[in-house]
Amino acid sequence: MNSAKTSGRAPSGRKRRRSLWLRVLPGISPKRRGFILAWWGFALTFGGMRLLTWLIHIDVAGVGDVQAGGVHLHHYVWGILLLAVVGAASLAERSARARAWLGLAYGVGLALVVDEAALLISLEDVYWDTEGGISIALAIALIAVVGSVLAFTRGRRASRDDADDDG
């Protein structure tokens, strides 16, 4: 007898749609999927923030700093807030789908903080100074090391149960 889980159909008889992450990362276990998405989120956000801040730095029309009450809000503030939300959510949520989204959000938040690590170390705005290179070196090292670890430690192939997960 075919159950809804083994037939790939929802209990109502219509075919259940696979999640985005199962389509993008087929054959990857739900646990490993979160790590891969964190790595992608980190790398893409770091590159995107460097591009955005460069556009602000060269004074491209329509692109400017985020300010509150005349005070510039550095993007590490948003990164810390996002990491706090991810941490709290991961204490409560354990599903494969949540693990994937939380992994992605974790990578984004971490990139926002690491991109301004030099500022946090020196407590001065050194983003475009020579000292600001610490942030770039740290981010590139993280991307390289984590990417290498992910490449050299292949995760187990997703089992039939993992493929049926909403992950």
Side-chain angles (χ1 to χ4, degrees), residues 27-92:
I28 305 294
S29 72
K31 189 174 192 178
R32 188 169 178 81
R33 198 177 301 132
F35 287 110
I36 292 170
L37 289 168
W39 180 68
W40 280 358
F42 182 91
L44 294 174
T45 300
F46 175 75
M49 287 312 300
R50 280 284 154 174
L51 175 62
L52 179 63
T53 54
W54 177 70
L55 292 172
I56 292 169
H57 185 69
I58 64 170
D59 212 13
V60 170
V63 180
D65 291 332
V66 175
Q67 295 191 7
V71 176
H72 171 68
L73 294 177
H74 290 272
H75 50 271
Y76 73 82
V77 172
W78 307 112
I80 291 169
L81 291 173
L82 184 55
L83 290 173
V85 168
V86 167
S90 64
L91 291 173

Side-chain angles (χ1 to χ4, degrees), residues 1-2 19-20 53-54 79 83 93 99 101 124 129 132 141 153:
M1 179 173 194
N2 272 346
S19 79
L20 168 68
T53 54
W54 177 70
L83 290 173
E93 187 57 56
R99 194 178 303 128
W101 285 106
E124 293 180 25
D129 297 342
T153 60

Side-chain angles (χ1 to χ4, degrees), residues 145-163:
V145 169
V146 173
S148 296
V149 167
L150 287 170
F152 292 121
T153 60
R154 285 190 232 154
R156 67 177 175 80
R157 299 288 294 176
S159 69
R160 189 77 162 131
D161 292 335
D162 289 340

